[in-house]
Amino acid sequence: MIPARLIFDGKTKAYRICKLAHSYLRYMYAIPTISVSAINPLLYQKNKRMKIIKVLRSRLSKTRSYIATCKQKKELLQLLGDRHYFLAKEDDFLFSIRDLVEIFAGDLVARMYLVLEKIEDHITNGQCAICCNKGFICEYCSDSRVLYPFQVDHVIQCNKCSAAFHRKCYKEGSCPKCKRVEKRSNKNGDFSRNSNNNNNNNNNNNNNNNNNNKYYNDYNEMNYDDDEDNDEIDNKDGR
């Protein structure tokens, strides 16, 4: 199969090619190097299975932070086989020739549904306390139901702080967590400025004290010299 025909036409038909090209394509068959978004983003719109796999990979990518800290990380990664790159961020979606062939055949889409279901169940159904406790509560409506970023049908994440909220509640530019962080940083900034001012005042006081001490020492030295001169005069008169 020729990659260009896969990407632009969605065709898995075999073509006659030279031995060198055949050897190269066999070597590259399972290596993820194809960025569909960069080469032909319209493929996601034209091909239904590609559109589905993009959504599945987007949801998988949002489970990455959970898998990274999970005690069962090894078992979860085994579900993906050698396709750990499916956890990459959405901007970095890469596919291999094998991926595209299996997507167009429908096999990979079905397998990814099962993999995603198992990973999401592990996180949300209390199978792992570490993963389960990394959920979010919507701060707009304070609903007690826990939210997770990969529940993309009804959950949205803030682009700045990555906190999760109900899609129907979220208002762009008014994220409660971002406001708290900004307020805290402003307080810290004011405290830092006050501390610097106090330090500057202390330094000025120290400099003034040093100047006063220097003046006092100079004055004592002058008096001491005058006393010595007077002693010399008295000695001469005594003679």
Side-chain angles (χ1 to χ4, degrees):
M1 280 147 292
I2 298 177
R5 299 283 70 80
L6 286 169
I7 298 168
F8 290 100
D9 303 327
K11 293 181 179 180
T12 57
K13 177 183 175 182
Y15 294 87
R16 293 177 64 86
I17 55 177
C18 68
K19 290 182 178 179
L20 183 61
H22 180 263
S23 176
Y24 175 75
L25 291 177
R26 282 187 62 186
Y27 172 75
M28 297 295 294
Y29 188 70
I31 301 176
T33 56
I34 301 170
S35 174
V36 174
S37 298
I39 300 172
N40 183 24
L42 293 177
L43 186 61
Y44 288 121
Q45 300 175 18
K46 293 179 179 179
N47 190 286
K48 183 179 178 180
R49 291 189 178 116
M50 284 296 298
K51 187 176 181 179
I52 293 172
I53 206 70
K54 183 180 180 181
V55 173
L56 293 178
R57 284 195 63 170
S58 178
R59 288 169 62 183
L60 269 173
S61 69
K62 295 179 186 299
T63 67
R64 182 177 61 172
S65 61
Y66 294 85
I67 295 174
T69 57
C70 181
K71 292 182 178 179
Q72 301 178 43
K73 174 181 177 181
K74 186 176 180 180
E75 290 79 2
L76 293 174
L77 290 176
Q78 284 178 348
L79 295 173
L80 291 167
D82 60 352
R83 287 186 167 101
H84 295 177
Y85 55 90
F86 268 34
L87 294 172
K89 293 182 179 180
E90 191 166 347
D91 295 338
D92 301 325
F93 283 175
L94 295 176
F95 296 89
S96 65
I97 299 172
R98 179 188 63 175
D99 292 334
L100 296 177
V101 171
E102 293 183 5
I103 289 169
F104 295 144
D107 301 334
L108 187 57
V109 174
R111 289 205 304 274
M112 284 301 107
Y113 264 123
L114 294 175
V115 169
L116 183 60
E117 184 179 1
K118 289 180 179 178
I119 293 175
E120 289 184 350
D121 283 345
H122 168 85
I123 296 170
T124 61
N125 291 339
Q127 297 180 28
C128 174
I130 295 175
C131 293
C132 187
N133 290 332
K134 290 174 68 176
F136 296 84
I137 296 295
C138 181
E139 296 186 50
Y140 288 99
C141 64
S142 299
D143 192 322
S144 60
R145 287 173 293 185
V146 182
L147 305 178
Y148 296 92
F150 46 79
Q151 297 169 330
V152 294
D153 292 337
H154 62 280
V155 174
I156 189 171
Q157 275 186 292
C158 173
N159 291 327
K160 290 185 178 180
C161 67
S162 299
F165 309 94
H166 290 116
R167 282 188 177 274
K168 62 182 181 180
C169 299
Y170 180 69
K171 297 177 182 178
E172 190 171 354
S174 64
C175 171
K177 183 177 179 181
C178 287
K179 287 183 177 180
R180 284 200 310 276
V181 172
E182 184 178 359
K183 187 176 180 181
R184 193 181 303 124
S185 64
N186 289 337
K187 283 186 178 179
N188 292 337
D190 292 339
F191 177 78
S192 177
R193 283 192 292 271
N194 290 334
S195 297
N196 290 334
N197 290 334
N198 290 334
N199 290 334
N200 290 333
N201 290 333
N202 290 333
N203 290 334
N204 290 332
N205 291 333
N206 291 333
N207 290 334
N208 291 332
N209 290 332
N210 291 334
N211 291 333
N212 290 335
N213 290 334
K214 183 179 179 182
Y215 175 79
Y216 179 75
N217 292 333
D218 291 343
Y219 177 77
N220 286 338
E221 288 179 0
M222 290 174 62
N223 288 336
Y224 179 75
D225 292 340
D226 290 343
D227 291 341
E228 285 185 343
D229 293 340
N230 291 332
D231 289 343
E232 289 179 1
I233 294 170
D234 291 339
N235 290 333
K236 288 179 180 179
D237 292 342
R239 286 197 302 270

